[in-house]
Amino acid sequence: MLTVRDSQDDRVEALDVGADDYVTKPFQIRELCARLHAAIRRSRVPAAPSEPPIQIGSVKLDPVRRQVKSSGREIRLTSREFEALQYLMKNAGRSVPHARLLTILRGPGYENEREYLRVLINVLRKKLEDDPANPTYLLTDSYVGYRFCGSCPQ
């Protein structure tokens, strides 16, 4: 998203509704080009056809079809939401540091954009969890990162 609106509320709202990035005017051409190159790089990484679906609890993620189901119902995810969920599920039970998840999702240089990650995880919780305020799958490891867990001790 490219806009002159630069308040935090505007950025959070845009990311909530599915924007992959948010650039405010005025901007530097080099930065815009770097963000475009990063987006292109991420879009070129197809799921390997041999990857089996991941099922943890009632959440099933199919990397080939790029489909997620929870308790049998299909969950619509943006590509960033899908990538985040897939990485967390592949590393289920282990804490994934904020910086690592941001680097995977946004590329190098974005390791400190924790607000973006917080918004993304909250949106995923609303889509996946029965009670987003008391998550059972997408857990926060304070000051470290996030962890996907279907049956881990809290």
Side-chain angles (χ1 to χ4, degrees):
M1 176 169 263
L2 180 61
T3 180
V4 297
R5 300 176 71 173
D6 65 352
S7 76
Q8 181 178 0
D9 289 337
D10 291 332
R11 289 190 302 269
V12 169
E13 183 180 357
L15 295 169
D16 272 345
V17 297
D20 285 331
D21 205 347
Y22 196 96
V23 179
T24 58
K25 295 179 188 178
F27 57 89
Q28 298 295 317
I29 292 294
R30 286 183 53 211
E31 179 185 0
L32 181 62
C33 288
R35 288 176 185 260
L36 289 170
H37 288 277
I40 291 167
R41 229 181 6 258
R42 283 189 304 275
S43 70
R44 286 187 186 156
V45 181
S50 62
E51 283 187 82
I54 304 168
Q55 172 109 31
I56 300 173
S58 65
V59 179
K60 182 178 181 180
L61 182 142
D62 185 337
V64 175
R65 291 189 177 104
R66 295 190 64 83
Q67 184 180 62
V68 175
K69 290 186 177 183
S70 180
S71 300
R73 67 180 168 84
E74 188 170 350
I75 308 294
R76 303 285 233 165
L77 300 179
T78 65
S79 87
R80 287 267 172 88
E81 292 166 353
F82 185 89
E83 290 170 23
L85 182 62
Q86 182 177 19
Y87 191 81
L88 289 167
M89 287 182 77
K90 282 183 176 181
N91 292 280
R94 289 181 275 178
S95 185
V96 176
H98 299 112
R100 183 177 309 143
L101 196 51
L102 281 162
T103 300
I104 288 162
L105 296 173
R106 312 269 325 259
Y110 294 93
E111 297 87 1
N112 294 320
E113 292 191 17
R114 290 188 181 170
E115 182 63 28
Y116 171 83
L117 197 54
R118 196 173 359 261
V119 169
L120 182 79
I121 295 297
N122 282 332
V123 170
L124 274 172
R125 283 178 177 153
K126 288 176 185 173
K127 292 180 177 184
L128 286 178
E129 302 281 357
D130 291 332
D131 180 5
N134 297 302
T136 56
Y137 290 112
L138 293 168
L139 305 179
T140 300
D141 288 334
S142 297
Y143 306 105
V144 177
Y146 296 98
R147 177 170 38 111
F148 189 93
C149 189
S151 61
C152 298
Q154 307 277 324

